[in-house]
Every structure is written in structure tokens, then in C-alpha cells.
Amino acid sequence: LATVGAACRDSERLRFAYEDRGGAETRREVEPHSLVNAGRRWYLVAWDLKREDWRTFRLDRIARPAPMGVRSVHRELPTKDAATYVMQSVRNMPNRYEARIVLHAPADEIRKRAPSGWGEVKPLSKNRCEYRTGDDDLDWLAMRVAMMRVEFEVREPPELAERLGEMAERLARGTRSTS
């Protein structure tokens, strides 16, 4: 974080290894623009010199960042600010898991509980709604559903239903009386 942050501050080109969501590692040379915290992750917004385009890089997937000793060229972002660019990038990226869950609560109540970036809520009836959300991390999806604090039915993916079942068993074991 310190190396990447200093490169942004000093407008200095940066090189690093980057692991994409599929696990493939590439070498990147970029002109860093800014660091953005979005939810529970940090992102680097930078001009990718090889691809000649703006890119968003998850900081936890960057390894061995090193300054190149060359100043960056000032470029205008394609959005009003770096945070907007990250949010658009994250929203437009397909997730590994796309979930569809029926929640036994009014849509308006769920909209108040769930941050807007967590998915879409569509009313099905007065006391039920469909919640569509996605993520690359199945555990995080399971936690997101559990944090709604309402009865639910997982429509898809089946892996989410399995993970929630595993969580329920683990939580039940952890809360049994040992006396």
C-alpha cells in the first residue's frame, strides 16, 4: 500500500506482478492515478502502458510493486473521479457467482438494509422480494444473505445453498452448550 500510494502521490510509473481473478499472473507497467477504497477492498486506478487504457487493479492481487524512476504523464480519467471509475469497473465485471434469492420481507425493508452496490431488489408480493447479487467469494455471498436477518430461499446458485448449510451447521456446533 505504501509503495503504490507513494507512486500515486509522486506521479511515478510503477511495475508489478498482477494475479487476475482466474489466478493467471501477468507483469504490468502502469502510470498510477489514485488509490480507492470501495467496500472491503482497495483498488489502484492506473493507465496501463501496454494496453493503452485505464485499468482498475485490486491491491490484494498486486505483488512486488516497484517504482520505475520515470514520471507519469498526466491523463484525464474517463469519469468525474477515481471512485466513480472503480465503481463502474466493479459493477461491469462479471462475478464468479451470481445469486438469486427470495427474501421473506418487503422490498422496501430490504433496500434499507442492503447497500446499493450489493445487488438489486425486486418486489414479488407485499412481503416477499427477489434479491439478485453477485461476488467472486462464495463465503462473502453467504454472509451477505445471512446479514439480511430474514427467512429466505436460495434459487441459485446451488453452491450458495450448500455453503449456507455448512455455515449453519458450523454455527450450531459452536453455540451448543458444553456443560
Side-chain angles (χ1 to χ4, degrees), residues 93-147:
M93 184 164 293
N95 294 301
R96 183 171 177 197
Y97 300 102
E98 294 293 339
R100 191 169 59 90
I101 302 117
V102 173
L103 300 175
H104 296 248
D108 288 339
E109 179 183 325
I110 296 302
R111 284 189 191 108
K112 290 176 191 170
R113 291 183 188 185
S116 62
W118 277 15
E120 298 177 30
V121 178
K122 176 181 158 190
L124 296 175
S125 67
K126 182 180 174 187
N127 292 312
R128 290 177 9 130
C129 61
E130 181 179 76
Y131 180 48
R132 288 181 179 253
T133 186
D135 205 287
D136 290 341
D137 185 333
L138 199 53
D139 289 324
W140 179 241
L141 267 182
M143 288 300 298
R144 201 177 295 170
V145 173
M147 289 180 353

Side-chain angles (χ1 to χ4, degrees), residues 1-68:
L1 184 60
T3 301
V4 175
C8 292
R9 179 195 67 216
D10 299 339
S11 298
E12 186 174 5
R13 287 185 179 180
L14 192 65
R15 80 168 40 104
F16 52 84
Y18 190 72
E19 183 179 323
D20 69 16
R21 67 191 322 177
E25 191 174 290
T26 57
R27 291 291 301 162
R28 300 297 182 101
E29 293 185 359
V30 302
E31 293 182 340
H33 183 276
S34 18
L35 287 170
V36 174
N37 180 272
R40 58 193 176 100
R41 294 196 173 105
W42 280 95
Y43 294 88
L44 167 65
V45 176
W47 179 263
D48 189 308
L49 294 163
K50 184 176 180 183
R51 288 160 178 80
E52 297 183 344
D53 199 7
W54 288 101
R55 293 288 192 266
T56 301
F57 301 96
R58 273 184 37 185
L59 223 56
D60 61 321
R61 293 182 178 168
I62 291 176
R64 302 176 304 283
M68 295 173 61

Side-chain angles (χ1 to χ4, degrees), residues 69-95:
V70 178
R71 303 282 280 161
S72 297
V73 173
H74 176 73
R75 301 175 194 275
E76 292 296 321
L77 283 170
T79 58
K80 69 177 184 168
D81 58 38
T84 301
Y85 185 77
V86 168
M87 292 313 292
Q88 287 177 357
S89 295
V90 170
R91 241 183 246 130
N92 294 333
M93 184 164 293
N95 294 301

